[in-house]
Amino acid sequence: MQKRIRVFTLLALMLSSLSLAEPSLEAINKTLKNSRPDLSISSVKASPIAGLYEAQMDNGPVVYITADGSHMVVGDLYQNTPGELVNLTEQARNTERADLLAGIRRQDMIVFSPSAPMAVKGTVTVFTDVDCGYCQKLHKEVPVLNAMGIEVQYLAFPRAGVGSPSYDKIVSAWCASDRQAAMTQLKNRQPIAAATCSNPVADQYELGQQMGVRGTPALLLADGTMLPGYMPANELAAVMGIN
């Protein structure tokens, strides 16, 4: 605890001594590349802490950085409020993920929608691997989710990476004439015909990494909230506020 106090005290003193000039994306990236040419910042904005700015790494995490890029803090920023600690960094991640989700075309996903006349009450987007046991378990609950009015949108995340057997299987599902049926067969551990076509699987795998997906299934709500791991249908519906 004393060590943490010393670290934060040092950080506070360091920030108080720095210029309060507005940050320059160009200047920050120039400073970063002096030490790490592979790093770059795509956006920067004010944070709740004076002298420290919230910066989005290209294909990386949110970090906190000084206006000139000379000092950087990697980790989550919490706000101490009555009754709880609010993870401000995770809120920023949610916004970023929601923006990225909004840019995905529906035709690039494999979608399981509620049958008419059931209205769609909510949507969950799932990064999935067809060989993942918990992904297979979740897929068995898709009919239950659909019956509750929850639409399931699948994105590809073959955990073994591009070119792996799991990658080839999920590409075949995306290239099948009936994507839903092919996905269900694979999730039931049944083979499908191998197929190739122009597909978004590699791009979605990269997107998942950018969003912070580390395992499957990874469930994303419309506001960008990520729910890592399997969740039973009734619990997911409760989190989504759907009866």
Side-chain angles (χ1 to χ4, degrees):
M1 179 61 75
Q2 290 181 342
K3 182 177 180 181
R4 289 186 178 181
I5 292 173
R6 288 197 298 270
V7 169
F8 284 113
T9 300
L10 179 61
L11 176 61
L13 291 172
M14 177 267 292
L15 291 174
S16 66
S17 66
L18 292 172
S19 168
L20 296 180
E22 286 298 306
S24 162
L25 193 62
E26 182 180 356
I28 289 175
N29 278 322
K30 183 178 180 180
T31 301
L32 277 178
K33 291 184 182 302
N34 285 336
S35 55
R36 286 285 300 273
D38 57 315
L39 294 182
S40 64
I41 297 291
S42 59
S43 64
V44 61
K45 62 182 180 180
S47 83
I49 302 176
L52 201 60
Y53 296 86
E54 180 185 300
Q56 176 65 56
M57 286 277 190
D58 278 336
N59 299 318
V62 171
V63 300
Y64 298 92
I65 201 161
T66 53
D68 60 359
S70 62
H71 295 79
M72 182 168 61
V73 179
V74 180
D76 287 2
L77 177 65
Y78 288 82
Q79 181 180 13
N80 191 358
T81 65
E84 66 173 333
L85 289 172
V86 178
N87 189 329
L88 300 179
T89 306
E90 188 61 23
Q91 289 182 354
R93 293 188 189 114
N94 290 349
T95 300
E96 176 72 12
R97 286 191 288 252
D99 290 343
L100 291 170
L101 278 178
I104 302 172
R105 302 185 306 171
R106 184 178 177 86
Q107 60 262 41
D108 287 337
M109 300 182 281
I110 297 180
V111 182
F112 289 79
S113 297
S115 300
M118 171 64 73
V120 175
K121 299 178 181 177
T123 299
V124 60
T125 303
V126 182
F127 280 96
T128 194
D129 179 324
V130 295
D131 290 324
C132 152
Y134 279 106
C135 296
Q136 295 167 356
K137 186 175 182 178
L138 177 65
H139 190 71
K140 293 183 185 300
E141 299 205 41
V142 167
V144 179
L145 291 168
N146 286 169
M148 294 177 177
I150 298 173
E151 182 176 80
V152 179
Q153 301 179 154
Y154 278 125
L155 297 175
F157 194 84
R159 294 175 301 173
V162 175
S164 66
S166 293
Y167 171 85
D168 292 339
K169 290 178 188 178
I170 208 164
V171 165
S172 294
W174 248 260
C175 295
S177 57
D178 186 336
R179 291 179 175 181
Q180 289 84 356
M183 178 67 79
T184 297
Q185 282 182 249
L186 287 171
K187 293 293 182 71
N188 288 335
R189 302 185 182 183
Q190 299 170 349
I192 65 171
T196 58
C197 64
S198 177
N199 66 83
V201 172
D203 289 340
Q204 290 178 5
Y205 177 68
E206 182 179 337
L207 178 66
Q209 293 176 309
Q210 183 179 350
M211 287 189 179
V213 175
R214 297 293 177 265
T216 54
L219 287 61
L220 290 174
L221 306 186
D223 65 355
T225 298
M226 180 181 288
L227 307 172
Y230 165 78
M231 182 175 289
N234 61 333
E235 291 184 18
L236 177 57
V239 170
M240 297 175 69
I242 296 174
N243 297 325

